[in-house]
Amino acid sequence: MASWKQMCAAFSVGVSLVAIAGCGAENESASSEGEKPSAEEGPFKFTIMANLHTAEVPEKEVQHLLEEATNTELDIQWVPDSNYEERLNTAFATGTLPQAVYMKNQTTYDQFKDAIRDGQFWEIGPYLDEYENLKKLKPEVVENTMVDGKVYALYQGRPLARSGIIYRKDWADNLGLEAPTTIEEFAEMARAFTEDDPDGNGRDDTIGLTDRNDLVYGAFKTVASWHGTPNGWGEKDGELLPEFMFDEYIDTLDFFKELHENGYMNKDFPVTSKPDQQALLKNGTAGIYVGSMGDVLTLYSEASQINPDLEFDVHNYVEGPDGEYNIWAIPGYGNLVIFPKSAVQTEEELKSILSFYDQLMEPENANLIYWGIEDEHYTIEDGKAVAIEDTQRTEREVKPYQSIEIGEAETNGRYLGQSHYPVKLKADELEIDNESYLVHDPTTTLHSPTAQTHGERLQQIINDATYQYILGQTDLAGFEQAVETWRSQGGDDMISEYNESYNQQ
Amino acid sequence: MDSPIMANKKWTRTKAERRQELWRKIKKNKWIYLMIAPGLLYFFVYKYIPMYGLIIAFQDYKPYLGITGSEWVGLDHFRRLFADPDFWMIFKNTLVLFALQVCISFPVPIILALMLNELRSRAYQRSIQTMIYIPHFMSWVVIVSISYVMLTLDGGIVNNILRALQFDQINFLLNPEWFRPMYILQIIWREAGWGTIIFLAAIAAVDPQLYEAAKMDGANRFRQMWHITLPAIRSVIIVLLILKIGDVLELGFEHVYLLLNASNREVAEIFDTYVYTAGLRQGQFSYSTAVGFFKGVVGLILVVMANWLAKRYGEEGIY
């Protein structure tokens, strides 16, 4: 594809040069000479495929500035995040992957590990030391991206645990409730928000928790952490087992089942999308949101347009039955970028791309793609960036480019954010506080061929059973039956493969 | 024209003569052939060449090795499919949805067309026709989202009405029993009006003298419909039915996929959605090709059977 485009470009350049040359009464030798040097001196062109979190492709102002700063010409293929896997696999199957490919998340990356092991992507580990900025990437996170001890990917840093509670402070005040510090208090808040008319309008029109069709980034996994469920996999009697074989997982199921049965959460949460889930909080139907605490800023800016009197607060510490607080952690990266050999044909080309990413990690460029243009999209206050209030504008012009960032503020030197909304500042603090209570997924660097090919389909069996249990469509026996199915269809292989890999480490 | 002598002469012509004759005919009709060419080319490029790709159903296909380089695994993927405990569930769901389409949503446009035909006022008929076409132009995403908003338990209008009338609320979206009715009603809502076009055209072609004769014999409007209109459009109905069966197992991937969720998977997962999740989202290219291949074979068998049955009962069929 790329070569075809290049041919077309070369052809059209050639044609126009011939035409110009013809006018000037010069002959073709001038045109063919004139073409080569310009191609070499000109900006380095390459293609990127990245996921788009906004509804529309961005305006190109930021990109042009970035291209100027790095002497490149970027062809970014924006793919909506919702069908990113599909496009990624299609491009892979048809051999049309671009030169730099973002992986979306750990799950998709796992799928590609097979091809990585087969040598389809460049191993970049040996080159990293040549680049001033790339070698600053955190070694502990880089290690989490390794395949068989080799580095293939540049990572995009993410706080280890952003999860917590966002709730209606004004409702809680009306009912004389404090932020919940135990699971029981959390359940009590959900009940009170549902039954005790927290908005004082005399009608039964509120619910407690709002959740969506996502067992990881929705409420479920965070609440499971509070109950003491391991993160993905955990150790039991010296053996690694998946989280759903732990009693704490079942406790979480029962907890959610009760919330759902009593109507303390939205009934149709297994088919509720993220915008719908957030709408329930914003429009004053629901009072508790469990998820990324940093979202409180956008939630507030939109909700306060509907109801200016509303107040949010954030909270993280919720004690489990054993009197301790636990929170699941990600491996330190969100997205990753890898470089297919089918598109990046020479070492030289790879180095040019790496050098682009090296420059991308310079503070000016990192700020440009993360915050936009100074005084236009953000201002500096006490050495921190404050984004303009017009979130729709930043969403159109800047936000999409955040998804090509490499590293994190600590390593690429971009400004940290400052907010005029104090609750957002508290959320940032609680994210750091979370780091004292992390539960890691032990399988991040382990290898299981079965998990790679069948992992997602097997997980679906468990996810379905989890929803069905909460909805009361199946009981404990039914859930155990699903676990049996999981085991017999490849789960047992996964368990033994992970344990073997674990014991080797 | 085909007198016995001429026919006899044909037998005696040599091969060269026949070829010449063929060329002469082609030359004579060269514009017609030219007009067919793009169509043939289309089918060749988009329908026949891709069939080459079916080979990967018998391989452990790795994109970077290509079809020539990938390892052959014979029928492994088919074995895996048939051994998959979900296979019969998917097979059953696909056939049930198909049967529902054929038995419930297929006759609706015919009934509608017959009813429209009975309207006396042309203008009235036209405006109703236009109104019932419109849903056809909405995408499934829109239709499914509208029904979602209406049917949800969290403030959906239908459940609010049920509650106001003191009835029990119904969990339309998460109750597997409601999946099929929802599926078929949405299809009827979207497609029934559009489907009337062909039937109305066929009805318009019926000779009015037949109706007059029937009236003379004292047939009322219902009798006229039963004994004249229906038999007159029978062949159209059968051709469309066979074509419908040709779409067998093309149940509208998008539609089903949008309705699919954790609690109705046991009745809603069909081959199309399975191929999509296994193939495109999880990257198992060979396996999902095998599933798609199997689906295609089942479809082919059904069409051949339907056509054979149609011919057996004296209809024209489609080929």
Side-chain angles (χ1 to χ4, degrees):
Chain A
M1 222 358 226
S3 65
W4 172 245
K5 266 191 192 154
Q6 279 160 8
M7 265 169 64
C8 285
F11 180 72
S12 52
V13 167
V15 167
S16 51
L17 280 176
V18 167
I20 295 165
C23 291
E26 291 253 323
N27 55 23
E28 69 274 349
S29 67
S31 69
S32 59
E33 263 173 49
E35 203 179 340
K36 259 212 160 170
S38 75
E40 273 176 9
E41 286 163 18
F44 174 69
K45 288 184 196 172
F46 78 107
T47 47
I48 297 178
M49 179 164 147
N51 40 343
L52 181 67
H53 289 278
T54 54
E56 285 166 62
V57 290
E59 282 168 25
K60 286 204 166 172
E61 202 187 350
V62 166
Q63 189 177 330
H64 290 318
L65 288 170
L66 180 67
E67 286 172 339
E68 226 166 86
T70 55
N71 192 28
T72 50
E73 212 177 303
L74 305 174
D75 176 6
I76 305 180
Q77 301 167 10
W78 294 109
V79 179
D81 196 56
S82 55
N83 56 3
Y84 197 79
E85 288 103 328
E86 181 191 335
R87 281 283 291 275
L88 191 63
N89 280 318
T90 314
F92 183 53
T94 51
T96 52
L97 282 177
Q99 284 149 292
V101 186
Y102 283 83
M103 289 276 89
K104 179 169 168 159
N105 58 34
Q106 212 192 332
T107 318
T108 31
Y109 183 54
D110 282 343
Q111 271 180 29
F112 274 82
K113 281 187 178 164
D114 212 19
I116 290 174
R117 287 200 174 86
D118 272 345
Q120 290 310 302
F121 295 89
W122 285 93
E123 189 200 339
I124 57 170
Y127 302 99
L128 289 185
D129 278 343
E130 298 170 25
Y131 297 92
E132 206 178 319
N133 297 314
L134 294 181
K135 70 178 173 199
K136 287 190 220 151
L137 288 170
K138 293 183 185 170
E140 68 271 21
V141 181
V142 170
E143 196 175 307
N144 280 342
T145 72
M146 281 185 179
V147 180
D148 300 337
K150 294 178 191 160
V151 182
Y152 293 87
L154 296 175
Y155 75 86
Q156 188 172 92
R158 281 282 176 276
L160 290 166
R162 300 192 284 180
S163 297
I165 308 172
I166 297 172
Y167 68 99
R168 282 289 292 266
K169 179 87 166 54
D170 50 337
W171 285 11
D173 289 347
N174 284 350
L175 301 174
L177 291 170
E178 294 289 320
T181 53
T182 63
I183 296 174
E184 289 74 34
E185 285 175 27
F186 177 80
E188 166 58 17
M189 183 181 250
R191 184 205 63 77
F193 278 2
T194 311
E195 292 178 348
D196 296 350
D197 191 24
D199 54 356
N201 67 356
R203 278 193 308 230
D204 179 21
D205 58 356
T206 55
I207 56 170
L209 177 70
T210 172
D211 196 11
R212 68 169 184 266
N213 57 352
D214 189 332
L215 293 175
V216 178
Y217 300 99
F220 187 82
K221 194 170 170 100
T222 303
V223 175
S225 279
W226 300 343
H227 280 88
T229 316
N231 182 1
W233 288 67
E235 210 177 313
K236 192 170 172 176
D237 309 326
E239 194 186 21
L240 278 185
L241 288 173
E243 55 183 5
F244 48 83
M245 290 189 184
F246 286 76
D247 293 339
E248 290 86 351
Y249 192 91
I250 307 295
D251 295 341
T252 317
L253 284 179
D254 284 327
F255 181 77
F256 269 93
K257 187 177 177 178
E258 208 181 313
L259 284 186
H260 186 264
E261 228 166 41
N262 292 321
Y264 301 160
M265 65 189 294
N266 50 331
K267 288 261 178 201
D268 278 335
F269 79 96
V271 290
T272 303
S273 64
K274 187 173 177 180
D276 287 340
Q277 176 206 17
Q278 296 193 337
L280 287 174
L281 184 73
K282 287 186 274 192
N283 67 20
T285 305
I288 312 172
Y289 178 95
V290 178
S292 174
M293 289 181 289
D295 286 349
V296 75
L297 181 63
T298 43
L299 285 172
Y300 181 74
S301 77
E302 286 162 39
S304 59
Q305 284 171 7
I306 307 173
N307 176 6
D309 296 332
L310 122 173
E311 279 176 61
F312 284 136
D313 201 0
V314 286
H315 184 72
N316 68 332
Y317 189 97
V318 179
E319 239 170 49
D322 55 356
E324 275 176 39
Y325 171 56
N326 296 303
I327 189 71
W328 62 284
I330 60 165
Y333 62 84
N335 211 332
L336 296 161
V337 60
I338 56 174
F339 311 97
K341 283 186 179 162
S342 58
V344 182
Q345 269 139 11
T346 61
E347 201 179 334
E348 198 187 337
E349 222 175 308
L350 178 72
K351 285 184 170 171
S352 303
I353 295 174
L354 288 178
S355 120
F356 165 78
Y357 279 110
D358 187 54
Q359 293 177 68
L360 193 66
M361 280 185 71
E362 274 161 21
E364 313 83 80
N365 295 331
N367 279 324
L368 180 66
I369 56 163
Y370 198 89
W371 296 108
I373 302 162
E374 194 175 341
D375 294 330
E376 239 182 86
H377 299 112
Y378 69 101
T379 51
I380 309 279
E381 250 173 59
D382 311 327
K384 286 182 173 176
V386 182
I388 53 165
E389 298 222 343
D390 187 354
T391 48
Q392 284 182 345
R393 180 172 170 204
T394 49
E395 203 159 277
R396 215 167 43 233
E397 296 173 6
V398 186
K399 203 175 169 209
Y401 294 103
Q402 291 181 357
S403 65
I404 65 168
E405 188 193 22
I406 293 298
E408 56 277 278
E410 282 168 70
T411 48
N412 64 25
R414 74 164 151 82
Y415 293 117
L416 289 170
Q418 171 71 288
S419 178
H420 290 303
Y421 183 49
V423 182
K424 165 73 169 128
L425 297 178
K426 184 174 173 191
D428 294 342
E429 281 164 26
L430 295 184
E431 263 177 23
I432 297 166
D433 181 55
N434 266 349
E435 293 187 9
S436 329
Y437 309 97
L438 299 176
V439 183
H440 290 281
D441 183 345
T443 60
T444 307
T445 51
L446 301 183
H447 177 38
S448 156
T450 313
Q452 253 169 52
T453 37
H454 302 290
E456 207 174 321
R457 192 179 57 86
L458 288 172
Q459 187 57 43
Q460 194 175 58
I461 298 172
I462 300 301
N463 288 356
D464 287 356
T466 300
Y467 283 120
Q468 286 168 8
Y469 189 94
I470 296 172
L471 296 170
Q473 292 173 343
T474 190
D475 53 9
L476 191 60
F479 186 80
E480 277 163 0
Q481 180 62 45
V483 174
E484 274 313 305
T485 314
W486 180 89
R487 294 182 74 134
S488 64
Q489 287 193 37
D492 277 335
D493 297 334
M494 264 168 84
I495 294 176
S496 60
E497 284 162 7
Y498 271 140
N499 279 294
E500 200 179 311
S501 179
Y502 187 56
N503 293 330
Q504 276 169 7
Q505 278 194 349
Chain B
M1 192 185 137
D2 257 23
S3 73
I5 303 160
M6 288 283 282
N8 228 359
K9 207 184 164 216
K10 261 185 199 160
W11 279 115
T12 57
R13 269 187 302 185
T14 64
K15 250 187 184 169
E17 267 175 338
R18 261 183 290 162
R19 199 176 298 146
Q20 226 175 3
E21 168 85 5
L22 185 70
W23 268 118
R24 208 176 52 79
K25 273 191 184 159
I26 290 178
K27 252 187 182 169
K28 196 173 137 201
N29 299 320
K30 57 177 179 275
W31 298 113
I32 294 177
Y33 280 98
L34 204 67
M35 282 198 287
I36 298 174
L40 285 179
L41 197 70
Y42 167 82
F43 277 100
F44 186 70
V45 172
Y46 291 104
K47 303 285 164 184
Y48 283 87
I49 293 179
M51 280 193 207
Y52 172 65
L54 286 178
I55 291 176
I56 68 169
F58 306 95
Q59 292 183 327
D60 182 16
Y61 179 67
K62 300 244 162 93
Y64 39 90
L65 297 176
I67 290 177
T68 46
S70 294
E71 196 188 326
W72 290 93
V73 295
L75 294 173
D76 273 9
H77 294 297
F78 292 93
R79 255 176 236 133
R80 180 179 151 200
L81 173 66
F82 298 135
D84 192 323
D86 289 344
F87 171 74
W88 288 109
M89 171 193 97
I90 296 165
F91 194 64
K92 194 184 109 198
N93 290 342
T94 311
L95 286 183
V96 167
L97 291 190
F98 167 68
L100 283 174
Q101 277 213 18
V102 169
C103 302
I104 301 179
S105 77
F106 180 75
V108 174
I110 302 173
I111 296 167
L112 263 179
L114 291 173
M115 281 161 55
L116 281 172
N117 188 48
E118 297 303 311
L119 290 174
R120 283 173 196 271
S121 153
R122 280 271 142 202
Y124 190 46
Q125 184 188 336
R126 284 278 153 76
S127 57
I128 288 191
Q129 235 180 303
T130 314
M131 266 162 51
I132 58 179
Y133 284 174
I134 290 172
H136 174 78
F137 299 101
M138 284 191 211
S139 74
W140 281 121
V141 182
V142 174
I143 292 170
V144 172
S145 326
I146 293 176
S147 26
Y148 170 76
V149 171
M150 285 169 55
L151 298 175
T152 174
L153 281 174
D154 304 310
I157 185 165
V158 174
N159 274 311
N160 279 355
I161 293 173
L162 285 176
R163 191 161 63 166
L165 298 173
Q166 312 277 325
F167 286 110
D168 283 340
Q169 302 205 25
I170 300 171
N171 197 345
F172 294 102
L173 302 170
L174 291 175
N175 188 338
E177 284 165 24
W178 275 96
F179 169 75
R180 284 169 185 155
M182 248 181 4
Y183 170 81
I184 208 73
L185 282 172
Q186 284 168 350
I187 289 184
I188 291 174
W189 188 76
R190 184 179 192 245
E191 303 294 353
W194 188 251
T196 58
I197 296 177
I198 291 177
F199 296 112
L200 280 171
I203 291 172
V206 180
D207 187 349
Q209 287 185 12
L210 292 173
Y211 291 107
E212 277 160 32
K215 260 187 242 166
M216 297 292 282
D217 292 341
N220 60 23
R221 291 200 74 126
F222 181 75
R223 284 278 161 202
Q224 288 173 31
M225 189 165 93
W226 190 254
H227 292 291
I228 298 169
T229 318
L230 266 182
I233 63 171
R234 189 170 67 174
S235 57
V236 175
I237 294 177
I238 288 180
V239 167
L240 285 181
L241 187 63
I242 297 173
L243 290 178
K244 175 97 227 163
I245 294 170
D247 281 344
V248 130
L249 321 185
E250 299 289 331
L251 296 165
F253 155 75
E254 200 189 351
H255 185 195
V256 178
Y257 190 71
L258 288 165
L259 288 173
L260 187 66
N261 62 49
S263 58
N264 65 18
R265 195 177 308 280
E266 61 191 287
V267 293
E269 186 90 274
I270 57 173
F271 282 116
D272 291 310
T273 54
Y274 191 68
V275 168
Y276 176 76
T277 26
L280 284 179
R281 289 190 79 91
Q282 299 170 18
Q284 301 177 42
F285 306 111
S286 286
Y287 179 57
S288 58
T289 308
V291 180
F293 193 16
F294 173 76
K295 190 192 96 165
V297 170
V298 174
L300 184 68
I301 292 171
L302 283 173
V303 173
V304 171
M305 262 167 46
N307 199 53
W308 177 79
L309 272 177
K311 286 205 164 156
R312 178 110 197 256
Y313 289 97
E315 291 295 333
E316 279 190 39
I318 50 167
Y319 58 88

